[in-house]
């Protein structure tokens, strides 16, 4: 999803909590990985792998000049013939330590095994972020969580688009931006200004 489509999506959602909520969550994500030079682990549930979010974060990392956003996709099932970048299993979560960030995307039940690993990663000092659909245990384990209830006008995939786009925006609080995304940033800021509601008159 390019900057223009994200801007249009934000316009549609103007007046709701979602533009602000996704930006805050993206700010927490970027604020966690950038100071530590990366270390972003991305994991889904046994029934859902966040392929699209992984791809969008890779794109945002390149476009924004923020390589720290590039995630390692952690998978529940790894086959012997999978390429190296798709061969990282759940044991990687068990090895997570301070300075690393674990982003859990859970549109369904994360399961006890994953929650135990997330708990262990948090105890070892990793920062835990969660995009979830109402799982209380995962929400409790996360340092920062964004709950996406099932709604007809918004789903978790759409929220992932907004989060990844916002994470790559150099206007978020972060170290001085590097790279060549100034046009995208200006376009996004302009779209936000155009869709901002007028000030209230008393």
């Amino acid at each position: 999803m390019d900057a223009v489509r994200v801007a249009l999506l934000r316009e549609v959602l103007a007046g709701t909590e979602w533009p602000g909520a996704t930006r805050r969550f993206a700010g927490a994500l970027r604020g966690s990985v950038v100071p530590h030079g990366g270390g972003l682990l991305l994991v889904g549930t046994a029934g859902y792998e966040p392929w699209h979010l992984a791809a969008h974060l890779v794109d945002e990392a390149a476009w924004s000049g923020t390589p720290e956003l590039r995630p390692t996709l952690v998978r529940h099932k790894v086959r012997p013939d999978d390429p190296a970048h798709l061969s990282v299993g759940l044991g990687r979560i068990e090895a997570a330590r301070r300075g690393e960030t674990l982003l859990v995307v859970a549109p369904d039940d994360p399961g006890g095994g994953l929650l135990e690993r997330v708990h262990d990663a948090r105890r070892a000092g990793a920062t835990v972020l969660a995009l979830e659909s109402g799982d209380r245990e995962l929400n409790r384990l996360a340092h920062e969580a964004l709950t996406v209830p099932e709604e007809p006008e918004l789903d978790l995939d759409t929220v992932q688009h907004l989060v990844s786009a916002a994470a790559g925006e150099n206007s978020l609080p972060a170290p001085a931006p590097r790279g060549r995304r100034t046009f995208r940033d200006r376009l996004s800021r302009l779209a936000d200004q155009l869709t901002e509601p007028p000030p209230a008159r008393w």
Side-chain angles (χ1 to χ4, degrees):
M1 187 174 289
D2 59 34
V4 174
R5 291 181 182 176
V6 168
L8 290 173
L9 181 56
R10 287 175 178 159
E11 181 178 357
V12 170
L13 294 172
T16 71
E17 65 177 303
W18 294 109
T22 52
R23 276 205 168 101
R24 283 190 297 274
F25 187 85
L29 171 60
R30 184 166 172 148
S32 178
V33 300
V34 170
H36 294 103
L40 175 58
L41 305 175
L42 175 62
V43 67
T45 65
Y48 178 85
E49 286 193 326
W51 293 94
H52 285 106
L53 181 56
H56 286 304
L57 286 171
V58 168
D59 289 342
E60 294 296 336
W63 292 334
S64 67
T66 313
E68 298 89 351
L69 288 173
R70 187 181 182 94
T72 296
L73 181 62
V74 178
R75 306 181 64 201
H76 286 253
K77 293 181 181 178
V78 176
R79 295 173 300 191
D81 58 342
D82 285 335
H85 69 287
L86 297 178
S87 298
V88 180
L90 291 175
R92 180 63 182 86
I93 297 176
E94 297 169 9
R97 294 295 179 262
R98 185 174 305 280
E100 293 184 303
T101 300
L102 175 60
L103 174 54
V104 184
V105 182
D108 52 19
D109 182 7
L114 177 59
L115 289 174
E116 287 177 14
R117 289 178 169 91
V118 172
H119 175 71
D120 291 343
R122 176 171 174 141
R123 287 185 59 189
T127 299
V128 177
L129 306 177
L131 284 171
E132 42 82 22
S133 296
D135 187 275
R136 294 181 180 179
E137 182 65 14
L138 179 57
N139 189 287
R140 185 184 64 81
L141 285 173
H143 293 92
E144 186 78 27
L146 182 57
T147 302
V148 186
E150 291 186 14
E151 297 180 3
E153 66 274 11
L154 191 69
D155 58 20
L156 189 64
D157 285 338
T158 301
V159 170
Q160 289 178 67
H161 284 302
L162 292 170
V163 167
S164 60
E169 289 175 353
N170 291 325
S171 58
L172 284 173
R178 307 181 306 273
R180 50 176 196 231
R181 198 179 164 202
T182 56
F183 175 74
R184 279 186 62 156
D185 292 336
R186 276 181 276 159
L187 180 61
S188 181
R189 281 196 297 272
L190 176 62
D192 290 341
Q193 291 169 1
L194 292 174
T195 59
E196 185 176 4
R201 296 182 179 180
W202 303 98

